[in-house]
Amino acid sequence: AEPSTGATVGATVVNLVKAIVGSGVLSLPAAVAAYSSSRAAIGPAVLLLSLAAGLSAYCFALVARTCAATGSDSWAGAWEKTMGKRTAWLPSTLIVLKCFVACLAYTMVIGDAFSSIFGAAGAPAALSSRTGTILAFAACVLLPLSLLPSLDMLKYTSFLGVGGLVYTAVFMAMRAGAYSGDAPTALLGAVPAHLRPSMAAAPAGGALATLATPKVFVLVSVLATAFTAHYSAPRMFAELAPPAGEASGKAVAKVPRFCLVTGLGFGLSALLCAAVLSVGFGTFGGACSGLILNNYASTDPLAQLSRLAVGASIVCTYPIAFTGLRDGVFSLAAPDKASDPKLRLALTLGLISFITLCGILLTDLGIVAAVSGAVLASAVVYILPSIMWARVLAARVRAGTRGTKELYACRAVQVLGVIFGLVGVKVTLGG
């Protein structure tokens, strides 16, 4: 047997967690605050979060199972071998758009967050301006990270990013008492009045009654996009080392290992998301800001450190999303040139330059990007993986092998994906 080469289970889990839990986790408390101000809402919200994480993890694994069953190493290849060549452009196009929007959002947040930090530190105007910050990070940080040849090499930056978010969750728990409003504190006094805790009594019907409002679909919509890392599933599966003693070319042998990676990655991500949701909403209730760190005083040194940590997390997430973008472009335009180092460099420079320009010119993605994000996430996370795997299962059922029950499950996931997409659009337009 050939020696096992490739990314380890541990490194792949870290990359997966970082690909899932970007800065979007800090908007979860506000999603709960959209329909309730009672701490009784935390339990049902965490239940919804767990269900969304489980469904997303299942669909993430479906991508790898489809790749293994069809001998593919990309979204386009898996789609072509299951659905036909005529529509092979569809998944790559959706993933390119999803990853582009993600990279653009990261660039804009980096500009907003670090320009403020640089300004407070007395940096020159050329660096502390939003434009200067974006240009400096694009040239000195984002470009080098995006040129790394393997996701396994991102494990060090992924540790940094995951560590930053873990620190943020711990900081929020440590400061819960100081900001709870039970007693006046200097830190609470430094928070604007509209961002201070706002709590309501539990509803008469109990905790589940907090879900009895159409506004709960705000959280449903956010959760539909909260566990999105599916654009990187084929690459992570391809780079995962096979079990000891197995030939590196036997992709099917890696499926159980990848399912383990998926369970660990999504499970850890769900725990971190649940912690931020619970502590953030439990502290500020109905006053939760869209970015929960805005609820903490600017004079709080631990909060400032958390803002730095979140900035680092975003920087570490960017290369993973960018890899999905670049791979998608290659799949669409030149699949046989993906390994050409000169073309890879030129495409990387071109894409980052364009993203950087857009990030400088745009200060708010607006309603179009929000609606596109909801629709794209539902398609990439739920609909496309279940469609591909359903086609594989249908062939097995016709051949007389098992798979009927899971085929029905895939059909149900497709329906849910459409519903989540429509709800996401409605919630965004309604907001």
Side-chain angles (χ1 to χ4, degrees):
E2 299 176 4
S4 294
T5 58
T8 64
V9 168
T12 308
V13 168
V14 172
N15 279 330
L16 177 55
V17 171
K18 189 64 218 69
I20 297 170
V21 289
S23 58
V25 65
L26 301 176
S27 66
L28 288 173
V32 183
Y35 66 88
S36 178
S37 296
S38 170
R39 288 193 177 99
I42 294 176
V46 171
L47 176 60
L48 287 177
L49 184 150
S50 301
L51 293 174
L55 182 59
S56 185
Y58 171 69
C59 292
F60 187 83
L62 290 187
V63 178
R65 293 168 70 187
T66 303
C67 287
T70 59
S72 307
D73 59 2
S74 67
W75 269 91
W79 185 270
E80 179 178 338
K81 292 181 179 180
T82 54
M83 306 304 298
K85 191 173 183 178
R86 291 183 60 185
T87 57
W89 55 269
L90 178 60
S92 292
T93 300
L94 291 173
I95 292 168
V96 164
L97 293 174
K98 180 71 178 71
C99 293
F100 175 80
V101 171
C103 290
L104 176 58
Y106 293 148
T107 299
M108 294 168 64
V109 173
I110 287 171
D112 292 337
F114 283 99
S115 62
S116 177
I117 293 173
F118 290 156
L127 180 60
S128 60
S129 68
R130 184 175 182 275
T131 298
T133 298
I134 290 177
L135 289 173
F137 268 86
C140 302
V141 181
L142 301 180
L143 177 60
L145 288 177
S146 298
L147 287 172
L148 290 175
S150 169
L151 285 180
D152 189 43
M153 298 181 69
L154 293 178
K155 61 186 177 183
Y156 303 107
T157 61
S158 294
F159 275 118
L160 175 63
V162 173
L165 288 173
V166 169
Y167 164 78
T168 297
V170 172
F171 143 74
M172 291 170 61
M174 291 174 57
R175 287 293 201 230
Y179 288 93
S180 65
D182 296 335
T185 64
L187 291 175
L188 184 59
V191 176
H194 69 283
L195 294 176
R196 295 176 186 176
S198 175
M199 295 293 178
L208 291 179
T210 60
L211 302 178
T213 169
K215 291 184 178 181
V216 73
F217 286 109
V218 174
L219 178 60
V220 172
S221 178
V222 173
L223 290 175
T225 60
F227 295 96
T228 303
H230 298 58
Y231 50 80
S232 61
R235 171 66 71 89
M236 289 186 177
F237 179 66
E239 293 188 350
L240 179 66
E246 293 286 350
S248 59
K250 298 180 66 175
V252 175
K254 296 197 296 184
V255 170
R257 296 193 98 201
F258 194 80
C259 289
L260 173 62
V261 166
T262 300
L264 291 174
F266 278 84
L268 292 173
S269 300
L271 288 175
L272 182 56
C273 289
V276 172
L277 182 154
S278 301
V279 176
F281 180 78
T283 302
F284 295 100
C288 290
S289 171
L291 179 65
I292 192 61
L293 292 179
N294 291 338
N295 288 90
Y296 294 88
S298 59
T299 56
D300 188 340
L302 294 184
Q304 289 287 62
L305 183 58
S306 180
R307 292 182 181 104
L308 283 172
V310 169
S313 171
I314 294 172
V315 169
C316 296
T317 305
Y318 183 101
I320 298 176
F322 184 83
T323 297
L325 170 60
R326 184 176 55 206
D327 289 351
V329 172
F330 270 123
S331 295
L332 284 171
D336 58 332
K337 300 290 186 180
S339 59
D340 186 329
K342 292 183 178 180
L343 186 57
R344 182 184 179 88
L345 174 61
L347 181 60
T348 299
L349 289 171
L351 288 174
I352 288 185
S353 297
F354 182 65
I355 293 169
T356 300
L357 177 62
C358 292
I360 291 172
L361 296 177
L362 299 176
T363 57
D364 185 352
L365 292 177
I367 192 169
V368 174
V371 172
S372 298
V375 173
L376 291 172
S378 294
V380 173
V381 173
Y382 302 123
I383 300 175
L384 297 188
S386 57
I387 286 177
M388 291 192 299
W389 187 241
R391 182 59 65 91
V392 174
L393 291 176
R396 293 179 179 178
V397 170
R398 288 194 298 269
T401 58
R402 300 173 61 183
T404 303
K405 291 182 179 179
E406 190 175 12
L407 178 59
Y408 292 147
C410 285
R411 302 299 188 201
V413 172
Q414 293 167 28
V415 174
L416 284 176
V418 173
I419 293 174
F420 288 155
L422 294 175
V423 170
V425 173
K426 181 175 177 57
V427 167
T428 301
L429 293 176

